């Protein structure tokens, strides 16, 4: 395919545990690269040496867990570094960015899941990435019980994956609320389908998005 021209885009992939984000992130990457798009693929929390160290602390099961506010601040410390040193420079170079989670995850996990007020998270967004929001976000949606069963089958669970079912039901509700707030940005994918059907949903959504973006 011919290369896509125009402004670079920031695309994110969201969802709870066991929804298949890594697999579908690779599917999106293939679709974009097939169009000749220069692409940076990254993740949160992480994406930088500092972010990866904070990720390890956030996910480790041993020791005293951070309080909800400490957890939120750790996530945004990683995010501020990530935006300043990876995401914004890539966009400035004309590259697209595909990111596994961004600030929507904070609203779902630390907001709806942990009970931190939305205005607190919005204030941190203004500090960490003022004016930067995804152009397109995929939500891989599945029943929390199904997602947790998948996560358990993968093997050893991290600290988040060990949370109770009720926590992930709240996270799912948090994501649904984000979709309602900005429906044009989101593409909700039924991640409970087979791998092939999920990939078809994603491929169709990308094609439709490009068609809409061209008009």
């Amino acid at each position: 395919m011919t290369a896509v021209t125009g402004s670079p885009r920031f695309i994110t992939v969201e969802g709870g545990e066991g929804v298949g984000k890594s697999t579908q992130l690779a599917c999106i990457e293939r679709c974009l690269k097939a169009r000749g798009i220069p692409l940076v693929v990254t993740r949160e929390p992480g994406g930088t040496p500092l972010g990866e160290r904070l990720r390890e602390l956030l996910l480790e099961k041993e020791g005293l867990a951070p309080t909800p506010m400490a957890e939120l601040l750790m996530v945004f410390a990683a995010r501020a570094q990530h935006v300043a040193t990876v995401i914004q420079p890539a966009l400035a170079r004309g590259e697209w960015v595909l990111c596994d989670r961004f600030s929507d995850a904070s609203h779902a996990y630390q907001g709806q899941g942990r009970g931190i007020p939305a205005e607190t998270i919005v204030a941190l967004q203004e500090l960490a990435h003022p004016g930067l929001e995804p152009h397109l976000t995929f939500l891989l949606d599945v029943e929390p019980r199904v997602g947790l069963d998948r996560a358990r089958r993968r093997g050893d669970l991290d600290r988040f994956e060990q949370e109770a079912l009720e926590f992930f039901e709240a996270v799912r509700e948090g994501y649904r609320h984000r979709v309602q707030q900005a429906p044009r940005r989101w593409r909700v994918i039924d991640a409970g389908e087979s791998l092939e059907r999920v990939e078809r949903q994603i491929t169709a959504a990308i094609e439709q998005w490009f068609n809409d973006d061209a008009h």
Side-chain angles (χ1 to χ4, degrees):
M1 292 185 179
T2 57
V4 173
T5 58
S7 301
R9 297 289 189 266
F10 179 29
I11 299 173
T12 56
V13 180
E14 297 281 356
E17 307 307 313
V19 296
K21 280 191 296 84
S22 298
T23 300
Q24 300 312 325
L25 202 81
C27 173
I28 298 168
E29 180 180 1
R30 290 193 301 271
C31 289
L32 296 178
K33 286 185 174 179
R35 291 176 171 269
I37 292 171
L39 185 66
V40 170
V41 182
T42 188
R43 69 175 183 176
E44 289 206 348
T48 68
L50 174 63
E52 293 297 331
R53 289 175 67 183
L54 287 167
R55 181 188 182 92
E56 291 176 6
L57 291 172
L58 284 162
L59 297 183
E60 69 179 11
K61 298 174 292 184
E62 307 303 325
L64 186 65
T67 66
M69 183 56 70
E71 181 180 282
L72 178 68
L73 293 173
M74 290 168 72
V75 168
F76 267 97
R79 182 164 296 137
Q81 183 80 357
H82 192 208
V83 168
T85 64
V86 175
I87 296 175
Q88 286 181 328
L91 295 172
R93 292 192 302 265
E95 296 175 288
W96 290 36
V97 176
L98 173 61
C99 189
D100 181 345
R101 294 202 172 116
F102 196 58
S103 288
D104 292 301
S106 296
H107 284 275
Y109 277 78
Q110 286 79 42
Q112 195 75 17
R114 304 288 192 214
I116 294 177
E119 54 266 28
T120 300
I121 301 172
V122 170
L124 289 172
Q125 288 177 231
E126 290 301 312
L127 291 171
H129 55 92
L132 176 65
E133 295 293 340
H135 296 91
L136 172 67
T137 301
F138 289 92
L139 173 60
L140 301 177
D141 182 57
V142 73
E143 288 285 345
R145 190 180 301 277
V146 173
L148 286 176
D149 286 343
R150 289 177 178 177
R152 292 189 184 102
R153 288 198 297 270
R154 285 201 309 258
D156 196 30
L157 300 180
D158 63 37
R159 184 171 66 85
F160 281 94
E161 291 169 339
Q162 291 180 333
E163 291 284 351
L165 177 63
E166 291 75 18
F167 174 78
F168 293 107
E169 289 172 341
V171 167
R172 189 187 194 196
E173 185 60 31
Y175 274 127
R176 288 178 166 180
H177 182 63
R178 296 295 290 169
V179 173
Q180 291 171 359
Q181 288 182 318
R184 293 186 63 182
R185 172 164 68 88
W186 291 83
R187 300 296 184 274
V188 180
I189 305 297
D190 181 358
E193 297 272 5
S194 67
L195 176 62
E196 293 76 13
R197 289 184 176 181
V198 174
E199 289 188 350
R200 283 202 295 269
Q201 289 180 68
I202 287 175
T203 301
I206 291 173
E207 292 294 329
Q208 185 62 54
W209 182 66
F210 272 107
N211 290 337
D212 293 343
D213 201 42
H215 294 92

